[in-house]
Amino acid sequence: MSTTWFITGTSSGFGRLLTEELLARGDRVAATVRRPETLDDLRARYGDRLWPARLDVTDGEQVRRVVADAFKELGTIDVVVNNAGYGVFAAVEEATDEQIRRVIDTNLLGSIHVIRAALPHLRAQGHGRIVQVSTAGGQTTYPNFSYYHASKWGIEGFCETVAREIAPFGIGLTIVEPGATPTGFAGALDTAPVMPEYENTPAGEVRRAIASGDFPLPNDPHKITRAMIDLVDSGATPLRLPLGSDTYEDVRASLVARLAEHDAHRDTALGVVNGDPR
């Protein structure tokens, strides 16, 4: 039996690759995008198995309307994939207020809008999966991505809470964390005028590495989308799925360092408790 998916941000990157592969294997896809004409070739090839819709995830009312229409038209949606994203590449002082608002509105609030809009329908049908596309940067950090990290760390905390709340309804939620991958994301990053004060800092080093093409992109985008699909097909519902050598190594190193720092403050932490349990 085919599976029905609702995917945001399907014009390029992982969203487009997922849509292509799912349609090719016979699934149905509600594909949302800011410009639906970018899906005309898939619509011509796959007909009614593709349900395209215009959607700006930063518009909460539009999200509720499009999600409701998708469930009404398709009857059942088995998997909701929050993939739409926006990236700002700038040192902390360089980004504009507008850029900061857009990254939070898209990656954090936009994903929250989609999950909140889908949950009443998923509960009513008694089953479903939510796949939240995050990044290695939802668990670790890199210079020049502070606002992107703010949005991704935020949505991961939100999703970790939601996963526990919705499990009794038969709804699973998994955060997938792709690493650096040649999907065109780096070329689409929004930037800001460079401040010379940051030239000889880690922010400047990363900026030069990306500009020169020396920043590594070790992962295969097709293998990543295949891993997402395989996860859903398996029925497994891990809270997080790291995807990529850099995700695995960088996140692991970050977690180990955080745990070491956490443990280093054990006596101080326990020392403020009534009765001092040390």
Side-chain angles (χ1 to χ4, degrees):
M1 294 180 62
S2 67
T3 301
T4 302
W5 303 63
F6 181 98
I7 307 174
T8 65
T10 57
S11 63
S12 61
F14 293 127
R16 173 74 184 207
L17 293 175
L18 272 173
T19 301
E20 291 174 349
E21 183 155 351
L22 293 168
L23 291 170
R25 77 172 193 166
D27 286 357
R28 297 191 302 172
V29 180
T32 70
V33 66
R34 286 173 178 265
R35 296 184 297 112
E37 64 270 18
T38 62
L39 302 174
D40 285 350
D41 60 324
L42 297 180
R43 180 68 168 173
R45 190 182 315 164
Y46 295 106
D48 291 343
R49 283 199 289 111
L50 176 67
W51 189 87
R54 185 184 308 276
L55 179 62
D56 179 350
V57 297
T58 68
D59 184 337
E61 180 57 39
Q62 186 184 46
V63 169
R64 288 186 287 273
R65 183 174 65 253
V66 171
V67 168
D69 288 347
F71 274 91
K72 181 179 179 181
E73 291 292 327
L74 300 174
T76 296
I77 293 177
D78 304 296
V79 188
V80 175
V81 181
N82 249 336
N83 171 73
Y86 165 73
V88 175
F89 181 72
V92 63
E93 293 185 77
E94 295 170 349
T96 66
D97 289 350
E98 182 181 1
Q99 289 174 316
I100 296 168
R101 281 193 297 270
R102 184 177 174 191
V103 75
I104 299 299
D105 285 348
T106 303
N107 299 350
L108 178 57
L109 295 179
S111 292
I112 290 173
H113 290 327
V114 172
I115 291 172
R116 282 170 50 85
L119 280 177
H121 304 281
L122 296 175
R123 282 192 294 103
Q125 68 186 22
H127 74 277
R129 292 287 302 276
I130 297 171
V131 176
Q132 175 65 51
V133 178
S134 182
T135 166
Q139 288 282 299
T140 190
T141 62
Y142 307 95
N144 281 327
F145 287 98
S146 57
Y147 299 108
Y148 186 68
H149 290 314
S151 66
K152 291 300 187 180
W153 282 61
I155 196 58
E156 290 212 12
F158 174 81
C159 286
E160 186 165 336
T161 305
V162 170
R164 298 173 64 183
E165 293 180 352
I166 64 178
F169 304 122
I171 305 167
L173 187 154
T174 296
I175 303 163
V176 296
E177 298 170 334
T181 309
T183 60
F185 176 77
L189 286 170
D190 201 357
T191 60
V194 175
M195 293 176 58
E197 292 86 348
Y198 284 91
E199 183 64 20
N200 295 317
T201 71
E205 294 172 9
V206 173
R207 195 191 322 272
R208 288 189 293 274
I210 290 181
S212 67
D214 291 336
F215 193 87
L217 302 172
N219 307 303
D220 184 324
H222 295 280
K223 290 182 178 179
I224 285 178
T225 55
R226 183 70 255 172
M228 294 183 196
I229 295 169
D230 288 346
L231 171 72
V232 171
D233 288 348
S234 74
T237 56
L239 178 61
R240 288 181 173 87
L241 180 67
L243 295 173
S245 58
D246 52 340
T247 297
Y248 181 81
E249 297 296 342
D250 292 354
V251 171
R252 187 179 190 283
S254 180
L255 293 173
V256 169
R258 288 169 62 191
L259 183 59
E261 184 174 36
H262 180 81
D263 287 343
H265 298 291
R266 178 182 183 277
D267 287 347
T268 302
L270 298 182
V272 303
V273 177
N274 286 329
D276 193 349
R278 290 176 295 174

